[in-house]
Amino acid sequence: MRLAGKVCIITGAGRGIGKATALKFATEGAKVIVCDVTPEWIDETVREIRDADGEAMGFIVDVRDRESIARMVQSVVATYGRIDCLVNNAGIVRDAQLKNMTDEQFDQVIDINLKGVYNCTKAVVDVMLRQQSGVILNTASVVGLYGNFGQTNYAASKAAVIGMVKTWARELGRKGIRANAVCPGFIQTPILSSMPDRVLAAMEEKVPLGRLGRPEEIAATFAFLASDEASYINGAVIEVSGGMSL
């Protein structure tokens, strides 16, 4: 129960890494705020948490829409009086090689993966400053560290959220607020489910552990970073990839 009583907002919590993180935080005692754009996914995550005797609230939040974010934050503060952790996890991919990438593909990824992180963090930072405490966690990617074929937009967005974390760690650390990033490698999420088996096999071949990661393994890292056990970790960029960058 490392997160007992902590109020934690998770974006993109309806599926994949976000859902696994929401479930993990709940088992650690957190009051979980489940945010996503798909009502059915929100309801499912909230129901699973409550069925396991956890505490959760669900909100339809488009991270591009500051009004929907503000409504969620206002409701959370009205209910609990505080916000202890924000996990910026919402993200999309719109892959294409540079020569074929459209402005729409580029802008969609930047608006959600990068501007959405800014929007959500901006909405909670005043609450954390008043408390003189809080944790901001960004889902980045190994792609943001090393690049990837066909992912100009995605790599740019993930490299940028790493830069944001390092900046916030400097700006907010003395105010009691920690900021860190987690860089997953190849993780078994719905994004990968549409890929051919041969592509997945090639991915596994690149990983020294010989397998894809599980969303629960990323969730466990977030839970540690959100807890008081990580009280001296600030501005860190933690790769959770099975060693694929070695």
Side-chain angles (χ1 to χ4, degrees):
M1 302 296 283
R2 292 178 296 180
L3 303 179
K6 293 186 182 293
V7 179
C8 302
I9 298 170
I10 304 170
T11 67
R15 301 177 79 191
I17 290 171
K19 180 177 181 179
T21 301
L23 297 175
K24 175 63 174 177
F25 276 36
T27 65
E28 294 281 359
K31 305 175 192 301
V32 182
I33 315 304
V34 177
C35 301
D36 211 304
V37 293
T38 305
E40 294 80 8
W41 298 350
I42 297 169
D43 292 343
E44 181 179 331
T45 301
V46 169
R47 182 172 61 253
E48 289 186 31
I49 290 173
R50 290 176 177 171
D51 286 348
D53 296 325
E55 186 169 349
M57 299 171 64
F59 293 89
I60 299 174
V61 173
D62 183 337
V63 298
R64 297 168 296 184
D65 178 10
R66 291 185 178 182
E67 290 186 3
S68 72
I69 298 168
R71 287 192 298 270
M72 177 270 295
V73 170
Q74 289 167 6
S75 181
V76 171
V77 173
T79 302
Y80 296 115
R82 61 185 299 106
I83 295 171
D84 297 295
C85 179
L86 168 66
V87 181
N88 286 305
N89 175 72
I92 62 169
V93 293
R94 296 290 185 270
D95 294 349
Q97 292 184 49
L98 177 60
K99 64 179 181 177
N100 298 322
M101 184 170 289
T102 66
D103 289 347
E104 182 181 16
Q105 287 173 311
F106 185 86
D107 290 343
Q108 284 178 335
V109 170
I110 296 301
D111 285 347
I112 293 174
N113 295 14
L114 176 57
K115 187 68 177 293
V117 171
Y118 170 82
N119 290 340
C120 292
T121 307
K122 184 79 169 174
V124 306
V125 70
D126 285 344
V127 178
M128 292 183 175
L129 286 170
R130 287 197 297 271
Q131 298 167 179
Q132 293 284 288
S133 67
V135 181
I136 300 164
L137 301 174
N138 288 356
T139 302
S141 171
V142 291
V143 171
L145 297 173
Y146 310 111
N148 197 33
F149 190 93
Q151 291 194 310
T152 292
N153 47 8
Y154 189 77
S157 71
K158 295 304 185 179
V161 300
I162 291 171
M164 281 181 170
V165 151
K166 292 182 177 183
T167 300
W168 297 338
R170 289 179 179 273
E171 290 183 357
L172 303 173
R174 293 185 184 273
K175 305 299 176 69
I177 301 168
R178 297 186 290 110
N180 295 294
V182 174
C183 295
F186 298 140
I187 308 299
Q188 293 171 320
T189 65
I191 290 177
L192 295 188
S193 62
S194 61
M195 292 185 177
D197 290 342
R198 59 180 177 79
V199 174
L200 295 177
M203 286 181 171
E204 291 178 347
E205 188 65 28
K206 294 180 181 179
V207 181
L209 285 181
R211 64 173 177 85
L212 303 180
R214 298 184 299 273
E216 292 77 14
E217 292 171 311
I218 308 302
T221 307
F222 276 133
F224 167 67
L225 290 172
S227 76
D228 292 340
E229 292 180 356
S231 57
Y232 203 56
I233 299 177
N234 186 40
V237 180
I238 300 177
E239 182 178 336
V240 187
S241 70
M244 63 173 288
S245 65
L246 295 174

